[in-house]
Structures are given as structure tokens and as C-alpha cells.
Amino acid sequence: MEHELPSFKSWKSLVKRRNNAQEGGKSSWKMKPIVALMCTVLLIFWYKTTNIQYEQTEIEETDYPFEMAKESEPVSGKLKGLPFGIIQPRSDLELKPLWSSSSSRSKGGELTNRNLLAMPVGLKQKDNVDAIVQKFLPANFTVILFHYDGNMDQWWDLEWSSKAIHIVAHNQTKWWFAKRFLHPDIVSIYDYVFLWDEDLGVENFNPQRYLRIVKSAGLEISQPALHPNSTEVHHRITVRSRTKLFHRRVYDSRGNMKCSNASEGPPCTGFVEGMAPVFSRSAWFCTWNLIQNDLVHGWGMDMKLGYCAQGDRSKKVGIVDREYIFHQGIQTLGGSGYPEKKNSARSGVSRRRGSATFDSRTEIRRQSTWELQTFKERWNRAVEEDKNWVDRSSSTRNRIGNNRRLKRSSSVIPSLV
């Protein structure tokens, strides 16, 4: 069978199809830069949107870290019976009226008190507590008083008493109250928590000016400096410097504890004492978890508070000199309302138990010493058991860095030889 040659028309149509294919390829090459540009624009838009969402999440976590933690966790099986939107994981210590006007109801729950003052108080220190509270209430502080002597009814004659929260538990310490009534979910609305003793003179202290200094210095944990003539000064770092606005370290060559520029830990730097600490919201979240439920005197905690400073304790912990207090050193919990004297019988701290003399102050000191040793043992055991924990203190970082440099130099020397 003879093969017929394609006609002229068929050759023409074949050439036309090939030309169209070539033109389509050229046009697709022309479209590629446009497609690439569109993809780049979409990628930039996606990156910007993701970055904004991340920054917003960080801001919300900073403002309400406990609420965000709750929301990010899966709903417990005990809450499955509730719609998610009705769950409120936070509370506060704000007093609410039994009724309100329609105008105030329309405004909603606006919170004006963003800082908290919490103090253990006894009736013998009533005048001093009155002076402290009157400094804080005008600065829109919420005030909570822990009555350790059981006498609460005799406080109602003070004008501000009905504006404060009163909690009564006989012969309990500041740290006992704080662990049970200042849970982070309850105090998360407050920017700063002042956990103070009752025997502090505040003639030279203004809370608003104090917080301005704390915020400008970036201090997460702080305390007002102590007047040099205070009755009790345990660490020189807490003593006021007349020439400074605030300070983060002390230089001292006297005694057993030498403090210099090389000192990188408490009580030379990164240290506040337990009498008048001030915590940021994040620092209090960490500190509350550090407080041991059964070790009520809190001895040893001041040396570890720097680990809750949300960063380098030598930078995030400080003493404010411009606003300072006077520590009177009056021990009233478990004893008399006056400074301890050598003659305990005359000061009223001793009492007879059977035929032997019982000194409550001595027993409290003995208990505190035992708690200090117990706290140290728990800390050391926890550090040893937690293999993932990293000590982020500057001294440890320097030690790790030195070890790494030594390893590098030891590996380089043989190669040079």
C-alpha cells in the first residue's frame, strides 16, 4: 500500500500548532516574574501578620501570664460541663458593693487599684500600721491585713478600715498568710505586690515615687532602703546611700563577707531582705511557688529570691535609696511588742510552763533555724534531681564559660605541639 504524502494544508496546520506552542512557552516565561513577585508579597504579608500576632501574644502574656497559661492548657475533664466562654480562671481582692446604680453597672468592672499592699498586723502596732496604710490608700492600693493576734474588731475605728480586707489566723506568719491567700491567680491583676512587715517607719516613703523609680530601673524585685539608724540592719546592701537614686550592689571589705565588683550573688548583689520586699507580677508568680507550704518563717528564701527576678538578678533586683524606710525591729508575733532585751523576764517574753521557764522568742528562733536548714537541704536536693534545670546566675554562666574556654585551649595546645 502506497503511503499518501500529507497535503499542503495539513503541513500548514502542523506548523501553526508548533508556533502556538512556542508562543505559549514564551508567555509562560513572561508570567514567571509576576508569579514570583506575587509569592514574595504574600510571603511578606504572612510573615508580618504572624509577627504581629506573636508580639500581641507576648504582650498579653506579660499583662496576664496566669490567664494565658490557663487558656493555653486543655480544659480539664471537670470543666467539660461548662461552655468555654463562661470559665473565669482569675479572681482578685477588690471589694464589691451589694448593689450599684445603673450608670455604674453600665461602666462594667473597671479596676482602678493596680497594686497590692499585704501586711501581717497585731494590735500593738496599730498606730504604725495606720501610718503605713494612709500612705498607700491615696495611691490607689488595695490593702489586705493579716491579723495574727486574733484582734480584728478593735480596728474598725480607723477611717480606712472598711476599705481594707481583714483575714484572721492566730499566731501565723507573713509567709503562711501569703502562701494561702495571695495565690497568683488571685493577685494577677496587680502590677506590684508589697509584702511588708508592720514595724516600718514610712515618714520618708512615697509609694508612687517609689514605683516610678522601680519601673524606670527595670527592677522586678526590690525594696526601699533602710535608714542607717534603723534598729535592725542585717545586711549592708539594704542601707540607704544618700547620693544614689537606687543601687544594685554593695562594696564592703569588712567582716567575713567581702563584697566587690567580682561578687555576683547575695548578699552583695541581687538581694533584698524579707522585711519589705516588692514584687512585680511575674516575680510574684515565681516567688509564690518558691514559698514552702510548711516552712512558715521564710528563712533562707531571701538568698534565693534572685532566681525569680525574670533575668539577671544583678540587674533585675535592687534597693531604692530615694524612697527609704526605718526598720524599728519590734518583734510582736509570738512575743512582746517591744525590742527584745537581754532580761527576757522583764520584757515579758518568758512565761512559766510548769516549773520551767518557757521563752517563746528562743523557741521561734530555734524553729526558724531548723527551717533554714530544711530549706537548704530541699534546694540542694531539687537541684540535684532536676537534670533539666539550668542555673542562670551570672556566676554560674561565667564558670561555664571559663570551663569551655579551658576545654578549647586544652584541645588547641596538643595540635600546636
Side-chain angles (χ1 to χ4, degrees):
M1 180 182 290
E2 295 183 358
H3 295 281
E4 294 183 2
L5 293 175
S7 65
F8 177 75
K9 288 184 178 180
S10 62
W11 280 108
K12 189 175 180 181
S13 62
L14 181 63
V15 170
K16 188 174 181 181
R17 284 198 299 270
R18 186 174 297 175
N19 289 338
N20 290 338
Q22 289 178 353
E23 288 176 1
K26 290 180 181 179
S27 63
S28 64
W29 277 104
K30 290 180 181 179
M31 290 293 292
K32 282 185 178 181
I34 299 174
V35 173
L37 180 61
M38 291 177 64
C39 290
T40 303
V41 171
L42 289 173
L43 184 62
I44 293 172
F45 176 77
W46 173 82
Y47 173 77
K48 290 284 188 182
T49 304
T50 305
N51 194 42
I52 291 171
Q53 290 176 346
Y54 175 75
E55 290 176 353
Q56 183 63 29
T57 303
E58 276 195 330
I59 293 171
E60 291 177 355
E61 286 180 345
T62 302
D63 289 340
Y64 302 103
F66 322 115
E67 180 181 16
M68 295 297 293
K70 290 282 186 182
E71 290 178 356
S72 63
E73 295 170 1
V75 177
S76 170
K78 297 179 180 179
L79 298 177
K80 285 184 177 179
L82 296 177
F84 181 76
I86 201 65
I87 298 173
Q88 290 199 359
R90 296 186 302 115
S91 184
D92 55 57
L93 294 170
E94 301 304 297
L95 299 175
K96 305 296 183 183
L98 293 178
W99 64 88
S100 57
S101 61
S102 57
S103 59
S104 61
R105 286 195 295 268
S106 62
K107 292 180 181 179
E110 297 180 1
L111 296 175
T112 57
N113 301 322
R114 300 291 295 186
N115 301 296
L116 177 68
L117 170 67
M119 284 193 303
V121 300
L123 197 59
K124 293 179 180 179
Q125 288 291 311
K126 182 178 178 181
D127 292 339
N128 199 67
V129 172
D130 182 29
I132 295 174
V133 173
Q134 291 201 47
K135 284 272 187 173
F136 281 84
L137 277 181
N140 286 331
F141 272 72
T142 298
V143 176
I144 179 170
L145 302 181
F146 305 126
H147 297 269
Y148 58 77
D149 60 355
N151 295 319
M152 193 195 75
D153 291 339
Q154 299 181 54
W155 291 79
W156 295 119
D157 60 320
L158 298 176
E159 183 182 357
W160 50 263
S161 186
S162 61
K163 301 176 183 176
I165 299 168
H166 302 265
I167 298 177
V168 182
H170 191 67
N171 268 354
Q172 299 304 313
T173 69
K174 173 170 70 175
W175 302 106
W176 184 92
F177 281 107
K179 186 67 173 178
R180 286 150 182 82
F181 298 103
L182 299 183
H183 189 280
D185 287 343
I186 302 298
V187 301
S188 63
I189 68 165
Y190 304 109
D191 296 329
Y192 292 92
V193 175
F194 288 63
L195 189 58
W196 280 20
D197 289 351
E198 60 182 335
D199 60 339
L200 304 175
V202 292
E203 291 80 6
N204 301 291
F205 181 83
N206 181 285
Q208 292 170 312
R209 290 199 297 263
Y210 178 89
L211 286 178
R212 281 198 291 268
I213 296 172
V214 165
K215 292 175 182 177
S216 64
L219 301 178
E220 296 285 335
I221 301 176
S222 63
Q223 78 162 79
L226 301 182
H227 191 286
N229 296 331
S230 293
T231 305
E232 287 189 1
V233 176
H234 301 119
H235 302 281
R236 285 190 56 80
I237 191 173
T238 61
V239 178
R240 180 188 180 226
S241 173
R242 296 176 181 271
T243 60
K244 296 179 180 178
L245 188 65
F246 67 92
H247 65 272
R248 297 186 175 96
R249 65 169 55 245
V250 67
Y251 302 92
D252 191 7
S253 58
R254 296 173 292 178
N256 296 328
M257 181 62 66
K258 311 293 183 183
C259 293
S260 63
N261 273 327
S263 304
E264 295 175 334
C268 299
T269 186
F271 178 83
V272 298
E273 205 165 355
M275 71 187 72
V278 178
F279 304 94
S280 70
R281 181 189 293 114
S282 299
W284 178 250
F285 176 81
C286 175
T287 301
W288 185 89
N289 284 275
L290 176 65
I291 300 172
Q292 305 296 291
N293 192 60
D294 58 328
L295 306 182
V296 297
H297 291 284
W299 278 30
M301 270 188 49
D302 52 0
M303 293 294 178
K304 303 301 182 185
L305 287 178
Y307 287 100
C308 288
Q310 312 301 301
D312 188 347
R313 62 186 174 190
S314 64
K315 296 182 176 63
K316 298 288 188 177
V317 182
I319 312 293
V320 177
D321 298 290
R322 185 64 56 86
E323 302 298 320
Y324 59 98
I325 57 178
F326 187 94
H327 187 208
Q328 300 167 1
I330 301 175
Q331 299 173 338
T332 53
L333 177 60
S336 71
Y338 304 95
E340 189 175 348
K341 299 178 182 178
K342 293 182 179 179
N343 188 347
S344 58
R346 186 169 50 184
S347 64
V349 244
S350 301
R351 63 180 182 270
R352 292 280 178 181
R353 175 177 287 182
S355 59
T357 301
F358 178 75
D359 187 349
S360 60
R361 296 307 311 172
T362 300
E363 294 301 322
I364 289 174
R365 181 167 291 275
R366 185 178 289 117
Q367 174 70 20
S368 300
T369 304
W370 175 82
E371 289 190 6
L372 171 61
Q373 183 61 33
T374 303
F375 180 79
K376 288 180 177 179
E377 292 172 358
R378 288 184 186 178
W379 178 273
N380 294 334
R381 185 168 59 251
V383 169
E384 184 179 353
E385 293 175 354
D386 191 349
K387 304 303 180 183
N388 296 322
W389 183 75
V390 178
D391 190 340
R392 303 187 184 278
S393 63
S394 55
S395 57
T396 306
R397 287 199 305 269
N398 292 339
R399 190 161 58 250
I400 294 172
N402 292 335
N403 292 338
R404 288 175 178 172
R405 284 192 290 272
L406 286 173
K407 287 181 180 179
R408 284 199 297 267
S409 61
S410 62
S411 62
V412 170
I413 290 174
S415 62
L416 291 176
V417 173

